[in-house]
Amino acid sequence: MFDTIFSANADKAQEIYMAFDFKKEYKEYYMPKNKPTIVDVPAMNYIAVCGSGDPNQADGEYQKSIESLYSIAYTLKMSKKTSYKIDGYFDYVVPPLEGFWWIDGLDGMDYSRKSDFKWISCIRLPDFITEKDVNWAINEANKKKKKDFSGVRYMTINEGLCVQCMHIGSYDDEPATVKLMDEFIIRNGYENDFSEKRMHHEIYLSDVRKTSPEKLKTVIRHPIKTKDR
């Protein structure tokens, strides 16, 4: 009996150990230091929901977008247990939640204007997952959960040259980290390059339900370009 339990636990541990973890495999994108650095970010594929409004609103549009994203993310991950087979599938840890944020007519962010926020809430996909696979997952989730997941879409985002920094603390304290980033790029001959396609970007590494505000870890990333002379 003990041998059986040990064997089962060992198999489970091996499965967990072998799961591909983006945070560990691509530390340059997910685990930067808490001081600004320059990074060239390649194109990545996501499942995404676009929306607007205060992300702190209880049961609001943003909160619902997160629920939808995780439903589709785990439907894709667990496809291995269904009759639907994704070409090239390998087991992986679902990557962290991310968000692209902007306010119309404004470069950067004004944290006091949360009701004016526009956002793309998203979760990265492994490269082997295609738009066809995402559409399957949406239909599957629609049937099983009896909810409408049609707002979720497959999206490719190519960020390119950016400055990023690990922010530790409350989301409302992010302006201090952004100030460090702005000062860093000026010293190094760059400037911010915000546009309709290049936005303030955050990657949420902490579970806000289990982490005190002063210990939250968030990657902040801004698009930059060489400063015009």
Side-chain angles (χ1 to χ4, degrees), residues 99-200:
F100 292 85
W101 301 83
W102 71 99
I103 295 175
D104 287 341
L106 182 70
D107 282 348
M109 293 295 293
D110 181 343
Y111 291 81
S112 68
R113 295 172 54 186
K114 291 183 173 63
S115 61
D116 294 329
F117 283 0
K118 302 291 179 66
W119 41 263
I120 301 171
S121 186
C122 54
I123 295 175
R124 185 180 177 180
L125 295 170
D127 289 342
F128 58 76
I129 292 180
T130 66
E131 186 171 6
K132 173 191 170 192
D133 300 323
V134 171
N135 289 336
W136 166 82
I138 291 170
N139 289 332
E140 190 76 0
N142 283 341
K143 289 186 292 185
K144 286 189 174 182
K145 296 181 179 291
K146 307 299 182 183
K147 291 183 179 180
D148 181 9
F149 293 96
S150 60
V152 179
R153 66 184 69 179
Y154 177 93
M155 183 178 292
T156 300
I157 299 175
N158 188 357
E159 289 188 85
L161 192 65
C162 294
V163 60
Q164 66 180 13
C165 187
M166 180 72 78
H167 171 75
I168 300 177
S170 167
Y171 302 132
D172 287 336
D173 292 337
E174 287 183 8
T177 298
V178 170
K179 183 174 183 290
L180 291 177
M181 294 164 61
D182 289 342
E183 292 170 347
F184 174 81
I185 63 173
I186 290 172
R187 289 198 307 271
N188 288 275
Y190 297 94
E191 61 185 352
N192 286 311
D193 188 30
F194 295 108
S195 69
E196 292 181 355
K197 295 184 178 180
R198 309 194 75 202
M199 296 154 281
H200 174 94

